[in-house]
Amino acid sequence: MFTIGDFARHGRVSVRMLRHYDAIGLLRPARTDPVSGYRFYEAGQLARLNRVIALKDLGFTLEQVRSILDERLGTEELRGMLRLRRAELEDAVAAATARLARVEARLRTIESEGRMPTEDIVVRSIPPVRVAELTGIADGFGPEHIGPVVQPLYDELCRRLERAGVEPAGPGIAWYEDAPGGGGAVVVHAGVTVASGAGGGEDFEIVDLPGIEQAATVVHRGPMDRVMPTAQALARWIDTAGHRSAGYARELYLECPQDREKWVTELQEPITPA
C-alpha cells in the first residue's frame, strides 16, 4: 500500500485533491487507520484516479464523473465517451480560434482606416465574361460566413471541370447577391473563366456574367479573410468621391498560390453617380 503522499506522487496529483476526492466519495482510500486517520491506497486505485482526472479535464463536473464511474463503464465505452468529448472540445477550440481571427480582422480594419492612398483605386468598365460556376448559400456576408462556403465550392468546381475536360481560360471570379427571402443570407457564386460552353451534361453551370459599366476597383493582397480593410477603404473612397455603390463587389482572383499570404485579388464594386 501507499501513503497518501506516495499515491499522490505516483498519480501526479496533490494530496489536497485526494483528500477532497475522499470527502465527496469519489475516490476512497483502500484503508484508513482508525487511530491516526492516515489514508492508504493500493496501486490498483490509480486506474480510477486516471479516469477521474481525464473526465474532469474534459469538462465533466465531479458529480458527473462519479456517476460515470459508478456505472462501471468498460474501457471501450469510456474510450468512446472520451473521444466524443475530445471532439466537442476540438470544435470549441476551432470556434474560439475563428472568433479570434475575426476580432483580429476587425482590429486590422480599425488600424488601417484612412491609410490606403486613393491612387490605388481605379474606376473602369468590366467586360462581360463566360464562366463555369457552382453556387451555395452563406448565412451572411462576413468572412466567417463566406469563407466556409466559397472555398469548398471552388474545390468541387475544379474537380468537376477536370472530370469534364474543361480547361479554365482565365482567373476565378466570385460574385454575390441577396438570397431570396431576405434574412441576410447571401447567394455565393464561385466561377472560373472558360472559353466556351462544355459539351452538355456537365454537373456545373455555364453562364455569361454581364459586364459592369462602371466599377471602382482595388487590389487586395493576402488571404480573403483579411479583406475587410481593403473593402472598407474602397467603400470610403466611393462615398468621398460622390459615387453610390450599385451592389456587391466581385472578387477577381488574379493569383492564388498555396501560400495565401501571396494571394492577389481585385475587388470590383459597381458604382453609379450619387
Side-chain angles (χ1 to χ4, degrees):
M1 283 194 170
F2 298 106
T3 65
I4 190 171
D6 289 339
F7 188 75
R9 186 172 66 256
H10 288 295
R12 302 296 196 271
V13 296
S14 68
V15 169
R16 180 180 179 182
M17 181 180 291
L18 290 176
R19 287 173 178 157
H20 179 60
Y21 290 168
D22 180 16
I24 64 175
L26 185 56
L27 181 58
R28 300 286 194 187
R31 185 175 70 86
T32 302
D33 187 283
V35 177
S36 66
Y38 289 166
R39 299 170 174 88
F40 295 92
Y41 295 82
E42 296 175 344
Q45 291 180 280
L46 288 170
R48 184 176 177 93
L49 177 61
N50 290 336
R51 285 160 170 74
V52 169
I53 299 303
L55 290 167
K56 184 170 71 71
D57 285 347
L58 284 170
F60 293 99
T61 67
L62 292 180
E63 185 61 36
Q64 291 171 327
V65 170
R66 180 166 55 189
S67 297
I68 291 169
L69 295 183
D70 287 349
E71 289 177 8
R72 300 187 183 279
L73 298 178
T75 301
E76 286 303 317
E77 291 175 298
L78 183 59
R79 184 179 291 118
M81 181 178 292
L82 295 181
R83 284 174 175 165
L84 177 61
R85 185 59 175 162
R86 181 179 64 185
E88 292 173 347
L89 290 174
E90 288 172 348
D91 288 344
V93 169
T97 300
R99 283 196 299 272
L100 179 60
R102 293 196 296 270
V103 170
E104 290 176 345
R106 290 290 177 181
L107 286 173
R108 282 191 295 269
T109 302
I110 293 169
E111 292 167 354
S112 65
E113 288 175 356
R115 292 185 184 177
M116 179 175 289
T118 56
E119 59 265 25
D120 289 344
I121 297 172
V122 177
V123 175
R124 61 187 178 87
S125 62
I126 306 297
V129 62
R130 176 164 292 178
V131 298
E133 71 158 15
L134 291 178
T135 62
I137 301 294
D139 290 337
F141 195 53
E144 70 274 19
H145 300 301
I146 297 298
V149 175
V150 71
Q151 188 58 56
L153 284 176
Y154 270 110
D155 292 341
E156 182 61 25
L157 178 59
C158 289
R159 283 192 291 268
R160 295 187 186 187
L161 288 174
E162 184 177 3
R163 191 164 58 236
V166 176
E167 291 288 337
I173 304 174
W175 68 103
Y176 309 93
E177 58 184 337
D178 292 329
V186 174
V187 180
V188 179
H189 298 263
V192 172
T193 306
V194 293
S196 61
E202 58 275 356
D203 49 1
F204 50 84
E205 296 290 329
I206 299 290
V207 299
D208 291 316
L209 190 59
I212 303 175
E213 184 175 345
Q214 252 195 337
T217 67
V218 66
V219 172
H220 169 71
R221 300 181 186 276
M224 290 304 290
D225 58 6
R226 297 210 301 262
V227 74
M228 281 193 300
T230 307
Q232 291 191 6
L234 181 61
R236 287 192 295 272
W237 181 89
I238 290 172
D239 184 56
T240 302
H243 300 291
R244 179 178 298 160
S245 174
Y248 290 99
R250 294 180 186 175
E251 297 165 0
L252 183 68
Y253 303 118
L254 300 173
E255 297 179 24
C256 298
Q258 285 292 110
D259 184 357
R260 297 192 178 196
E261 294 294 331
K262 298 180 180 178
W263 277 23
V264 179
T265 306
E266 183 179 72
L267 304 184
Q268 304 171 339
E269 185 158 345
I271 56 174
T272 60

